[in-house]
Amino acid sequence: MITKFITNVSTKFNPFSKRAKTCRIFLAQLPPNARQTMKINTKLLPRNSKEASALSLKFKDGKEMQLDTEKLSIKDVMEEVDRHSRGLKRQADLLGN
């Protein structure tokens, strides 16, 4: 997963829910130095909460992505993130950055 272009990660999930698996895995996939390069906000919901899990991302170009992690698998989430990151990488390469 290309995380170089992500500036902000916000998640909310119930850690005891089976539906929160995508959020937990996404956070585990972030590199160890992620807190130095991006802002990470995590909101843990109580065990009996019926609120849906959510993942929100912001990129360096200003694009915001709201992903419904209860319906998407981790593979789908990573595919969406990588698709946009590859476009940003291509732009940076063309500009010589």
Side-chain angles (χ1 to χ4, degrees), residues 2-96:
I2 304 168
T3 59
K4 180 179 177 182
F5 301 103
I6 299 174
T7 59
N8 193 342
V9 176
S10 296
T11 61
K12 71 174 180 179
F13 61 94
N14 176 354
F16 303 106
S17 171
K18 185 177 180 181
R19 295 183 192 156
K21 184 176 182 180
T22 304
C23 279
R24 292 192 317 261
I25 294 174
F26 183 84
L27 289 173
Q29 293 294 321
L30 294 175
N33 66 347
R35 291 206 179 267
Q36 297 170 356
T37 59
M38 64 184 82
K39 185 176 180 185
I40 301 173
N41 297 319
T42 304
K43 179 182 178 187
L44 298 179
L45 301 172
R47 181 182 292 250
N48 56 1
S49 175
K50 299 296 181 195
E51 201 171 340
S53 298
L55 175 65
S56 174
L57 302 168
K58 290 183 185 175
F59 292 88
K60 286 187 178 179
D61 67 341
K63 179 175 176 147
E64 293 186 29
M65 224 182 249
Q66 305 288 332
L67 301 168
D68 184 6
T69 56
E70 291 196 356
K71 295 179 182 171
L72 297 173
S73 69
I74 187 63
K75 185 177 180 181
D76 297 332
V77 169
M78 291 177 76
E79 187 176 305
E80 290 291 322
V81 171
D82 280 344
R83 179 180 299 134
H84 188 68
S85 293
R86 281 193 305 269
L88 292 175
K89 186 175 191 296
R90 195 173 307 121
Q91 279 182 331
D93 289 345
L94 289 173
L95 293 174

